[in-house]
Amino acid sequence: DFSILGSSSVYPELLYRGKVVFRYTPINDDYVEINWGQFTNEAELLNLLAEYRVNANGFHQTADEIGKYLCGQGNIAENYKRFLFAYM
């Protein structure tokens, strides 16, 4: 139960929903300071997958912690609505 992203556009949303995300980052993206779960080549991805098989619960816990760090607490749909009504 994980996703592999080639772009960081949905990265925080998936993390907020408690999903484990492996992020392909051949160059620095918007989340450059979050090194967890990123890979730049096939060997690194295979290593992440092997680690995930051994410790899936730990990966899900870390994904949840990073999601809360990036997105805050509460309902993400309501957070978006408040943001859009305030700034649009």
Side-chain angles (χ1 to χ4, degrees):
D1 297 79
F2 58 85
S3 296
I4 297 174
L5 297 179
S7 166
S8 63
S9 61
V10 296
Y11 181 61
E13 294 172 15
L14 289 171
L15 286 171
Y16 186 82
R17 296 178 184 279
K19 304 296 182 187
V20 172
V21 182
F22 299 128
R23 206 169 87 245
Y24 177 61
T25 55
I27 58 172
N28 289 340
D29 64 5
D30 293 339
Y31 306 100
V32 64
E33 296 198 18
I34 300 175
N35 296 320
W36 178 82
Q38 70 182 47
F39 65 96
T40 59
N41 58 50
E42 181 181 0
E44 291 175 357
L45 175 59
L46 292 174
N47 185 49
L48 282 170
L49 295 174
E51 291 177 22
Y52 178 76
R53 277 187 229 119
V54 171
N55 187 17
N57 288 337
F59 273 75
H60 285 279
Q61 181 178 355
T62 301
D64 186 52
E65 291 168 4
I66 293 172
K68 287 177 183 169
Y69 170 75
L70 288 176
C71 302
Q73 301 290 329
N75 181 312
I76 194 165
E78 290 300 319
N79 292 345
Y80 272 119
K81 285 180 188 176
R82 278 194 302 276
F83 172 80
L84 292 173
F85 284 122
Y87 296 101
M88 298 295 219

